[in-house]
Amino acid sequence: MAAMEDVVHRNRRGIGHSTNLVGRDPEWLESHAYNDAPVPLHIWGVSEMNHDLFTMLEQAGDLTEAGEAFYCYMMAMFGIDPEQREASCGSRKRYRSSVQRLITGWGFDSNGPEGAVLKGWVESRFGICPCFHKEIIDQDSGRAWATYVEEKMASRFHNNAIWVQLDLLFEFCQWAIRRFAFPGETHLTLFRGINGVGEHRILERTTRREAVIRLNNLVSFTSDREVADCFGDAILTARVPVSKILFFNGLLPAHPLTGEGEFLVIGGEFRVSVDYV
């Protein structure tokens, strides 16, 4: 028992940073204590340096208009080709890096290069490092960490201030949640299909069907329980803080994840209930 407690304690946080760009302790941000009682999060300087964007957004009558305004602003700021809005990952034409391309890549494979860039952004802005990218990342996994670092810094995704684009996406998402999508809400009940709870780091187990587990630093959930059924033999149900949502279905006028009710959520320790299909 003592050995098991030592393993749990040693793995409780894993690799991490002491600094971030949201002014909150990273260990608290990834803890279930934060997820149980969250506070709003803002990336330093983003709203202040993009005052025109948020002034323009205030004129929007609904989420669709706001999404169109945000998309136009991003095209103007970062020179994104309008064709990229409808482009698929299989296109041979080279486009400038964009959040659209990263989300498309994540939809195909969250452990691909695009996934590494997204996880790297979470690491940089929130101080929460990934615990999985192709394989488990922990204090002893030098090869896994090196692979992740190499992919997250790939030059093909860093030719257009991609992390700044993600900063804007996060701040727009948080604005849209407060204004149109989920006003007044602190949490959403979301679902995630998995192949087995044993694949995750279990930090506490209160009952057979309830536990505190560590999820990756960026993770997909869905608002549709039937969709979660398709992704594993067990379904996690969690109360997700809206302050940790980076992207959700309907946020942008066109994106590749519309059919799954998908949410991209900044991860860490979550209290979950587990149902077996």
Side-chain angles (χ1 to χ4, degrees):
M1 178 65 70
M4 179 61 70
E5 289 176 352
D6 178 64
V7 169
V8 171
H9 177 75
R10 177 164 53 86
N11 288 336
R12 182 138 196 122
R13 183 151 193 270
I15 300 172
H17 289 290
S18 60
T19 59
N20 56 44
L21 295 184
V22 294
R24 304 289 182 174
D25 177 65
E27 189 165 359
W28 178 56
L29 282 179
E30 69 174 334
S31 72
H32 63 79
Y34 174 85
N35 291 335
D36 291 344
V39 299
L41 298 174
H42 296 282
I43 299 172
W44 287 337
V46 176
S47 297
E48 293 81 0
M49 295 184 67
N50 296 273
H51 178 74
D52 289 347
L53 167 62
F54 291 94
T55 298
M56 178 171 59
L57 290 175
E58 290 296 333
Q59 310 305 312
D62 56 26
L63 182 55
T64 299
E65 288 186 14
E68 291 282 0
F70 176 75
Y71 196 87
C72 290
Y73 185 86
M74 295 293 281
M75 285 195 296
M77 283 288 293
F78 299 101
I80 300 170
D81 192 324
E83 293 180 18
Q84 200 163 340
R85 179 165 168 169
E86 304 296 339
S88 68
C89 263
S91 174
R92 297 181 60 85
K93 184 175 180 179
R94 181 178 177 84
Y95 296 99
R96 303 190 74 184
S97 296
S98 71
V99 294
Q100 184 86 352
R101 188 175 185 185
L102 290 186
I103 293 170
T104 302
W106 176 276
F108 280 99
D109 181 8
S110 63
N111 287 300
E114 294 91 343
V117 175
L118 286 162
K119 294 168 191 173
W121 172 81
V122 175
E123 176 196 346
S124 170
R125 273 37 181 176
F126 299 88
I128 304 173
C129 288
C131 59
F132 192 91
H133 185 71
K134 292 182 170 66
E135 57 184 303
I136 293 173
I137 298 174
D138 58 24
Q139 301 285 2
D140 302 319
S141 58
R143 183 187 66 178
W145 179 259
T147 299
Y148 156 68
V149 170
E150 180 180 0
E151 290 197 351
K152 79 171 181 176
M153 298 307 296
S155 60
R156 62 178 168 148
F157 295 110
H158 287 275
N159 62 5
N160 199 19
I162 193 63
W163 284 0
V164 175
Q165 291 188 47
L166 287 166
D167 293 346
L168 280 164
L169 178 65
F170 176 76
E171 290 295 332
F172 170 59
C173 180
Q174 292 298 305
W175 178 91
I177 285 171
R178 294 190 303 272
R179 180 65 178 270
F180 293 119
F182 312 107
E185 299 290 343
T186 61
H187 294 80
L188 300 179
T189 298
L190 300 178
F191 310 95
R192 176 174 172 80
I194 61 172
N195 287 321
V197 178
E199 297 178 354
H200 295 74
R201 294 181 185 176
I202 301 174
L203 305 177
E204 297 176 17
R205 186 185 281 279
T206 53
T207 70
R208 180 175 177 271
R209 295 184 179 275
E210 295 182 344
V212 176
I213 67 173
R214 181 188 305 285
L215 298 177
N216 214 349
N217 73 339
L218 187 67
V219 64
S220 291
F221 281 90
T222 177
S223 57
D224 188 336
R225 195 183 188 285
E226 291 185 359
V227 169
D229 285 345
C230 301
F231 287 89
D233 54 16
I235 298 175
L236 303 181
T237 303
R239 293 182 70 242
V240 173
V242 298
S243 58
K244 278 193 166 184
I245 296 174
L246 168 64
F247 176 86
F248 62 88
N249 180 29
L251 180 65
L252 298 180
H255 60 81
L257 305 180
T258 55
E260 297 180 357
E262 187 161 357
F263 287 70
L264 297 189
V265 174
I266 296 160
E269 302 174 2
F270 283 84
R271 296 185 190 274
V272 299
S273 61
V274 185
D275 294 307
Y276 296 92
V277 178

